[in-house]
């Protein structure tokens, strides 16, 4: 039985081309194609769809919003992002929303179909440039985690209080230590995390 594929893409010509590409395969059939997230969410909830090719830059709500809502409505539907965006935020927001893969439109029909094949086999297909960004990001996160692991329990307590917006004097009162001691701890935190401001320290700590 053929897998049924939906398409969410605002560019009319590209939407038609993707639809024809799906129809020309032996293993897939087009369940429906939609020009925006609002229409897609309304229609896909009533259609028997196995997977969706999802653009990000849509009129109205974007594709990431659509993925999030679609996975809430129909968790079993798999989503392959098919977009021109390569920035880290869009990639990770898409994956966090529930997308199973992320491929660039420029890859061409064969690569897009191959990505669908891989996704149905349990993989998480990505364009090579996207995969490199994901690996680099995880490497950076691991390095940052090692830095935060070097903090003492007291330094972590102070960072948690700073993250709540408390000033040195308030931190000192909560922990029952002097303001000078708080400043010394904060200086040690800066040195361990290789940062220069409390905003940078808090952000790095919260990204653990």
């Amino acid at each position: 039985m053929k897998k049924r594929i939906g398409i969410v893409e605002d560019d009319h010509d590209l939407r038609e081309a993707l639809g024809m590409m799906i129809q020309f395969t032996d293993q897939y059939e087009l369940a429906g194609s939609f020009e925006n997230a609002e229409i897609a969410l309304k229609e896909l909830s009533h259609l028997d769809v196995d997977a969706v090719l999802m653009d990000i830059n849509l009129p109205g709500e974007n594709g990431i919003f659509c993925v999030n809502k679609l996975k809430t409505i129909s968790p079993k539907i798999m989503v392959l992002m098919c977009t021109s965006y390569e920035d880290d935020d869009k990639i990770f927001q898409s994956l966090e929303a529930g997308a199973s893969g992320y491929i660039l439109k420029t890859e061409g029909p064969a690569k897009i179909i191959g990505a669908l094949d891989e996704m149905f086999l349990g993989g998480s297909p990505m364009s090579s440039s996207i995969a490199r960004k994901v690996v680099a990001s995880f490497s950076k996160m691991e390095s940052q985690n090692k830095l935060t692991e070097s903090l003492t329990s007291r330094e972590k307590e102070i960072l948690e209080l700073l993250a709540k917006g408390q000033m040195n004097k308030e931190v000192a009162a909560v922990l029952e230590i002097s303001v000078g001691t708080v400043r010394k701890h904060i200086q040690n935190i800066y040195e361990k995390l290789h940062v220069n401001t409390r905003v940078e320290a808090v952000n790095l700590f919260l990204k653990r």
Side-chain angles (χ1 to χ4, degrees):
M1 181 181 294
K2 290 187 175 183
K3 299 291 187 182
R4 290 170 57 78
I5 310 298
I7 298 170
V8 186
E9 167 62 59
D10 66 314
D11 184 292
H12 177 270
D13 292 340
L14 181 56
R15 189 169 67 251
E16 291 294 309
L18 289 171
M20 291 178 63
M21 174 190 75
I22 295 296
Q23 294 289 56
F24 284 144
T25 65
D26 294 327
Q27 67 271 42
Y28 304 119
E29 64 180 6
L30 183 64
S33 59
F34 316 97
E35 62 185 22
N36 61 50
E38 290 78 7
I39 296 175
L41 289 171
K42 181 180 178 181
E43 297 298 326
L44 287 172
S45 61
H46 302 298
L47 295 174
D48 181 19
V49 178
D50 297 296
V52 176
L53 289 175
M54 181 74 68
D55 187 21
I56 288 180
N57 187 24
L58 300 170
E61 299 290 357
N62 67 24
I64 297 171
F65 169 88
C66 191
V67 175
N68 196 9
K69 291 295 183 182
L70 182 60
K71 294 295 287 186
T72 300
I73 298 169
S74 304
K76 292 183 179 180
I77 294 180
M78 292 188 288
V79 180
L80 175 63
M81 306 307 289
C82 185
T83 180
S84 57
Y85 286 103
E86 294 188 65
D87 57 289
D88 294 358
D89 286 344
K90 294 291 191 302
I91 296 168
F92 285 100
Q93 286 171 14
S94 298
L95 297 177
E96 287 173 1
S100 297
Y102 196 110
I103 192 164
L104 300 175
K105 295 176 181 178
T106 53
E107 294 282 5
K111 287 290 183 68
I112 295 174
I113 293 299
L116 283 172
D117 293 341
E118 183 180 344
M119 192 168 67
F120 280 113
L121 288 173
S124 298
M126 294 183 190
S127 297
S128 57
S129 61
I130 301 301
R132 283 194 295 270
K133 286 179 178 289
V134 171
V135 171
S137 180
F138 277 114
S139 177
K140 181 179 179 182
M141 288 171 60
E142 183 177 355
S143 176
Q144 291 175 341
N145 286 339
K146 288 180 180 179
L147 291 177
T148 57
E149 286 171 3
S150 69
L151 299 174
T152 65
S153 57
R154 175 64 84 187
E155 289 164 351
K156 290 177 182 178
E157 284 180 320
I158 290 173
L159 274 174
E160 288 172 355
L161 293 172
L162 293 179
K164 295 176 181 178
Q166 296 191 4
M167 305 305 292
N168 290 1
K169 186 176 180 179
E170 295 170 312
V171 172
V174 171
L175 299 180
E176 298 181 343
I177 57 179
S178 69
V179 174
T181 300
V182 172
R183 292 198 189 101
K184 181 60 178 177
H185 279 305
I186 291 175
Q187 187 59 46
N188 290 338
I189 290 169
Y190 288 176
E191 291 176 2
K192 289 182 178 180
L193 299 185
H194 306 308
V195 298
N196 299 308
T197 69
R198 68 177 58 204
V199 172
E200 291 176 306
V202 167
N203 284 340
L204 188 57
F205 181 68
L206 294 178
K207 288 179 181 178
R208 290 175 301 168

